[in-house]
Amino acid sequence: MRGRWALLLAAAGLALSFAIPAYGWVNKYQQMILMYVGINVILAASLNLVNGYMGEFSLGSAGFMAIGAYTASIATVKLLPAALVPWCFPLAVLAGGLVAALFGLVVAVPSFKTRGDYLALVTLAFLMIVKSGIENLDVIGGPRGFLGMKRLTTLPWVYAWTALTLLAIRNFVHSRFGRAVLAVREDEIAAELMGVDTRRAKFLAFSLSAFFTGVAGGLFAHLLQFISPRVFDIIKSTDVLIMVYLGGIASITGSVIGAALYTLLLEALRPSAVAWALGWLPAALFDPLNAHVIQHLNVWRMVIMPLALVLLMLYWPHGIMGLRELRWLVPRRDREAARQ
């Protein structure tokens, strides 16, 4: 019965994603915000698989996102015939995810030979290598960026990939491999002594995380229709970290909440949004605030968000839904086992 309700809910969401743009229930800017929320949910859920469920610390989200974005963009701009591009767009996004997963496996092989915080250093180095490598490849625009992609990312496509991501990660976490990943987080040495293949579990989790991060990159590229190495820097990885730790570690529900809250907060801090909010104030208050706040807001946005991550790690390390999940996202057998 629960599976039927979940299927009906998913079908209703898909129908709604078609109806919103078709009937103009929200304007194009609001539709873009909804798509950003969906893409950020994919990013947060993917990173949560490594940082939350596995207990490691990865900083390479922006690197895998860049690989997925450039792979999908090259496929639609340079490899596929123009007439087939709209039909093959899902395959291009899938290719971006697969290439990102391959790179994730390459990164995982040396990094998981060590323990502790070395994964953070390896993934940070990987991010820098990817960014520098793209900047030195003139064939894909180098530091100038890559453009020419059609606006193929739509609300239904974002919804479909987001739902697929959440379903895949939920099923993985509650599978035999997912339990092995949770055992790694609790005590890797004890898990190995009990016969758990921790190395295989970590490879699968890291590759799956990289795959969906690459998918998010492909959707992101065909939403903006322009990408450059500057987009995929440490600030982008920091954004994803904030979403994960705001919503809550080891929680799919938390990833959705954190991504939605953070995306909306970023939009609320944009100069246009602040100018609209301040416009409701009396002119005597609006003028000085307009001169002081709006002029420097873009700089302070990049200060507020990393500071928020530091405060979250210090005072709210588990986040809103940390180590908790909505009941209907947990399989019945696991709920019954938890009661015993």
Side-chain angles (χ1 to χ4, degrees), residues 72-112:
S73 299
I74 292 170
T76 56
V77 174
K78 296 192 173 184
L79 299 182
L80 293 172
L84 296 179
V85 166
W87 302 98
C88 296
F89 173 61
L91 297 178
V93 174
L94 181 64
L98 291 174
V99 174
L102 179 61
F103 275 87
L105 187 61
V106 171
V107 173
V109 169
S111 61
F112 286 141

Side-chain angles (χ1 to χ4, degrees), residues 42-52 54 58 60-61 64-65 96-97 100-102 104-105 112 165 168-169 172 201-217 240 244:
I42 297 174
L43 291 172
S46 301
L47 184 62
N48 214 339
L49 187 58
V50 175
N51 287 31
M54 193 162 65
S58 172
S61 293
F64 297 117
M65 189 179 179
L102 179 61
L105 187 61
F112 286 141
T165 300
I169 292 178
F172 177 82
K202 290 195 291 187
F203 284 169
L204 284 173
F206 200 77
S207 299
L208 185 63
S209 173
F211 170 79
F212 284 113
T213 305
V215 166
V240 185
V244 171

Side-chain angles (χ1 to χ4, degrees), residues 201-274:
K202 290 195 291 187
F203 284 169
L204 284 173
F206 200 77
S207 299
L208 185 63
S209 173
F211 170 79
F212 284 113
T213 305
V215 166
L219 294 172
F220 178 79
H222 290 84
L223 176 60
L224 282 186
Q225 298 178 269
F226 172 78
I227 49 176
S228 73
R230 294 188 300 275
V231 176
F232 307 104
D233 56 8
I234 187 62
I235 295 177
K236 189 65 179 178
S237 289
T238 304
D239 288 343
V240 185
L241 282 172
I242 296 173
M243 297 177 208
V244 171
Y245 288 98
L246 173 62
I249 61 172
S251 172
I252 296 174
T253 308
S255 298
V256 176
I257 294 174
L261 286 178
Y262 184 75
T263 306
L264 296 176
L265 179 61
L266 275 183
E267 292 302 318
L269 288 175
R270 290 192 182 278
S272 57
V274 173

Side-chain angles (χ1 to χ4, degrees), residues 298-316:
N298 279 326
V299 176
W300 284 106
R301 285 172 72 236
M302 297 301 105
V303 175
I304 292 172
M305 296 311 168
L307 180 61
L309 177 60
V310 174
L311 295 176
L312 280 171
M313 297 294 289
L314 289 177
Y315 299 107
W316 207 4

Side-chain angles (χ1 to χ4, degrees), residues 160-201:
W161 280 109
T162 302
L164 178 62
T165 300
L166 298 179
L167 178 63
I169 292 178
R170 180 255 192 193
N171 289 345
F172 177 82
V173 167
H174 294 286
S175 69
R176 175 167 59 93
F177 300 110
R179 295 187 183 92
V181 169
L182 295 178
V184 169
R185 183 187 68 195
E186 299 302 326
D187 193 325
E188 186 173 352
I189 296 176
E192 290 178 348
L193 292 176
M194 294 297 293
V196 176
D197 191 348
T198 59
R199 188 177 178 84
R200 182 183 181 185

